[in-house]
């Protein structure tokens, strides 16, 4: 009996590497990679067997209404000898079959094109060298390096991590990125979302860097198990298919009863059997709604085009109507009922609040203030949002942490070009975000108001952590800033309260600040919400 695979999340880094027989600094040698690929196969999902075109065409005639129209067309050709009507009915069945087959072909071509566009690259260490390879070439035991913006190419056990966070919403439904660490998870039967020392295929790295040893590839991965279950699922009848089948049966029953009654009545009146039979068949054919399949096919084709404009691909024509017949949807929230996007809706600085318009990661919004308030420059408050983070937003698409993405979009809405700002003030050093101290700091070389070169630290984190470390805060009468001593003693005319609470109002949970390292007096502090 084959031994059960060890739970890699419960193994130490040393034991996991020993199981895969790999040295992390050197990686796998080329000959070992070839041997393992022969055993495990390529790192991709197994595609279901492609249906031949002739079988797909014949399947279009499995529809009950198609069968009725086909029989009616043949009946019109013989014995009724109505060639025009018979050919028209047969052409209608052919048109329905071609439209259905064409739609399925377009859907298959679209899926194939998407797969070609989504070729994932992976940075792998092999033979002591770092190389960039297609994810399909990975094998168990490969040592892979990942960073913010990467798609995890396979399941693996972390060997090293630095501020690593991974968005696993597509796999677990968790709305926020999960902090990952190489420390061993002691519980052997831990849930998938609690295995913080593992990374999984097709999840997105939002922050930090990491290195992991591949433990599963292809269909052996967690997402591969899901793919296998979906492929094993049999096609079920759609509500529209069931309704049309029921209507077809009713029409056949009515036509059959009418045929029998017509023959019986006309024979009882002394008419010849041939004349009676031809009249009864014509009567039964006329009861069939010959235009119904063409109308249904046309409407469904229009529906597939509307869905295609919304980036939805329908593989079967009849599936277009399924959502319209849905009476209840059982789903978790993340990525289904919501877009898994965060948006800053309010900006608060000492003494003022601004409403932020727009939604998602698009920058077409504004920062608005109440009438009667004089304008003050917001750039000092927006600079930390642009500099103290790693998220990148392009054309409404986010690469990185959702919270950082919301702050970057807020800076853009304040007419700050984040890309050029980061280029002008390159990062000299950083303190990565850590759940222990709940903040992130970046250091940039800049010029102060007097023209002197300074190195400023921009900090983003939880308000309680930043305020506990702050030597001074900004007063609502900014400028100039007030010291915590003056605020605490009440000498500032517009402030009161303890130094830890600050001079302004901080009702929401995110805060950023800056400090020039060439002086002890802070220049400004800001607070943003999301």
């Amino acid at each position: 009996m084959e031994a059960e695979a060890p739970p890699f999340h419960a193994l130490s880094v040393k034991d996991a590497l020993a199981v895969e027989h790999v040295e992390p600094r050197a990686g796998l040698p080329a000959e070992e990679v070839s041997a393992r690929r022969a055993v495990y196969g390529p790192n991709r999902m197994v595609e279901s067997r492609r249906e031949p075109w002739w079988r797909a065409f014949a399947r279009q005639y499995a529809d009950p209404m198609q069968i009725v129209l086909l029989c009616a067309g043949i009946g019109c050709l013989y014995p009724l000898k109505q060639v025009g009507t018979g050919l028209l009915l047969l052409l209608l069945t052919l048109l329905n079959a071609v439209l259905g087959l064409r739609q399925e072909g377009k859907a298959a071509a679209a899926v194939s094109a998407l797969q070609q566009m989504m070729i994932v690259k992976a940075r792998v260490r092999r033979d002591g060298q770092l190389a960039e390879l297609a994810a399909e070439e990975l094998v168990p035991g490969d040592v892979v390096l990942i960073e913010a913006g990467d798609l995890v190419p396979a399941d693996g056990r972390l060997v090293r991590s630095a501020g690593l966070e991974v968005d696993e919403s597509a796999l677990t439904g968790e709305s926020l990125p999960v902090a990952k660490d190489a420390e061993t998870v002691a519980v052997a039967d831990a849930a998938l979302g609690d295995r913080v020392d593992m990374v999984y295929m097709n999840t997105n790295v939002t922050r930090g860097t990491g290195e992991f040893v591949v433990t599963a590839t292809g269909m052996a991965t967690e997402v591969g198990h899901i793919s296998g279950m979906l492929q094993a699922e049999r096609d079920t009848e759609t509500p529209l298919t069931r309704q049309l089948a029921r209507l077809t049966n009713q029409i056949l029953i009515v036509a059959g009863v009418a045929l029998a009654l017509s023959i019986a009545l006309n024979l009882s009146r002394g008419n010849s059997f041939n004349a009676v039979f031809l009249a009864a068949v014509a009567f039964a054919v006329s009861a069939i709604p010959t235009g119904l399949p063409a109308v249904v096919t046309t409407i469904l084709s229009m529906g597939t085009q509307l869905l295609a404009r919304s980036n939805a691909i329908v593989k079967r024509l009849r599936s277009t109507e399924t959502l319209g017949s849905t009476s209840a949807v059982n789903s978790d929230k993340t990525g289904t009922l919501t877009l898994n996007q965060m948006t800053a809706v309010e900006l608060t600085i000492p003494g003022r609040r601004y409403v932020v318009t727009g939604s998602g990661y698009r920058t077409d919004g504004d920062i608005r203030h109440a009438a009667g308030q004089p304008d003050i420059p917001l750039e000092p408050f927006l600079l930390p949002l642009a500099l103290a983070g790693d998220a990148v937003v392009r054309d409404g698409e986010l690469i990185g942490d959702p919270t950082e993405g919301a702050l970057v979009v807020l800076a853009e809405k304040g007419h700050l070009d984040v890309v050029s700002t980061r280029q002008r003030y390159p990062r000299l050093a950083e303190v990565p975000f850590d759940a222990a101290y709940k903040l992130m700091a970046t250091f940039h070389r800049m010029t102060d108001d007097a023209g002197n070169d300074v190195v400023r630290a921009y900090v983003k984190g939880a308000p309680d952590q930043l305020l506990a470390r702050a030597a001074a805060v900004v007063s609502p009468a900014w400028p100039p800033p007030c010291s915590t001593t003056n605020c605490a003693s009440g000498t500032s005319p517009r402030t009161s309260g303890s130094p830890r609470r600050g001079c302004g109002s901080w009702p929401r949970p995110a805060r950023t600040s800056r400090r020039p390292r060439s002086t002890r007096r802070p220049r400004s502090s800001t607070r943003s919400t999301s």
Side-chain angles (χ1 to χ4, degrees), residues 91-132:
L91 286 175
L92 278 176
T93 64
L94 184 62
L95 175 64
N96 294 333
V98 170
L99 285 176
L101 190 64
R102 180 171 176 267
Q103 174 58 35
E104 292 179 10
K106 289 171 62 177
V111 172
S112 178
L114 288 174
Q115 291 175 343
Q116 293 296 325
M117 292 173 59
M118 298 176 61
I119 297 177
V120 180
K121 297 289 186 178
R123 290 181 297 146
V124 189
R125 190 175 287 125
R126 288 181 178 174
D127 288 319
Q129 301 292 327
L130 188 62
E132 187 175 70

Side-chain angles (χ1 to χ4, degrees), residues 13 105 108 152 203 207 217 262 269 377 473 490 496-497:
V13 172
V152 178
T203 56
R207 187 199 298 271
T217 58
S262 177
R269 294 173 181 173
V473 296
S496 63

Side-chain angles (χ1 to χ4, degrees), residues 7-10 154-156 166-174 178-180 185 187-203 215-216 220-226 229:
F8 280 95
H9 65 274
D155 288 4
V166 180
D167 178 8
E168 296 181 339
S169 58
L171 193 62
T172 64
E174 181 64 37
V178 180
K180 295 290 185 176
V185 176
V187 183
D189 58 348
L192 193 66
D194 296 330
R195 301 174 188 177
V196 295
D197 57 350
M198 298 286 293
V199 290
Y200 297 102
M201 187 177 186
N202 286 356
T203 56
T215 58
T221 62
E222 293 296 333
V223 70
H225 296 158
I226 298 175
M229 289 188 292

Side-chain angles (χ1 to χ4, degrees), residues 57 60-61 65-77 82-100 290-295 297-298:
F57 182 80
Q60 308 301 321
Y61 282 89
M65 188 60 72
Q66 284 279 82
I67 296 175
V68 170
L69 286 179
L70 187 63
C71 293
I74 295 173
C76 287
L77 292 176
Q82 297 180 2
V83 179
T85 303
L87 291 178
L88 179 61
L89 292 177
L90 294 179
L91 286 175
L92 278 176
T93 64
L94 184 62
L95 175 64
N96 294 333
V98 170
L99 285 176
T290 55
L292 178 61
V295 172
T297 301
T298 302

Side-chain angles (χ1 to χ4, degrees), residues 424-446:
R424 182 175 182 181
Y425 305 117
R427 187 179 300 179
L428 301 179
E430 69 174 291
V431 177
F433 181 87
D434 191 281
Y437 45 79
K438 299 179 182 178
L439 58 82
M440 173 186 181
T442 59
F443 300 84
H444 307 264
R445 187 177 301 280
M446 310 179 79

Side-chain angles (χ1 to χ4, degrees), residues 2 29 54 127-128 176 179 181 198 231 233 289 372 382 399 408 416 451 454 493-494 496:
E2 187 176 348
W54 59 268
D127 288 319
L176 296 177
D181 193 274
M198 298 286 293
Q231 291 181 11
E233 185 71 18
L382 299 178
I399 300 175
V408 168
L416 200 68
V454 295
R494 298 191 182 184
S496 63

Side-chain angles (χ1 to χ4, degrees), residues 146 158 160-166 178-180 199 205 207-210:
I146 51 176
L158 282 172
R160 177 189 58 82
S161 65
L164 184 65
E165 292 186 4
V166 180
V178 180
K180 295 290 185 176
V199 290
V205 181
R207 187 199 298 271
T209 60

Side-chain angles (χ1 to χ4, degrees), residues 9 20 23 25 32 54 143 162 169 180-181 210 225 250 259 270 293 310 315-316 342 407 415 459-460 517:
H9 65 274
E20 295 294 347
E23 168 58 42
R25 294 184 179 181
E32 182 64 21
W54 59 268
V143 178
S169 58
K180 295 290 185 176
D181 193 274
H225 296 158
Q250 293 172 354
L259 177 67
S310 301
K315 296 182 66 175
R316 296 282 188 267
M342 298 186 71
L407 299 181
H415 307 291
V459 186
K460 174 183 85 271
R517 306 309 297 171

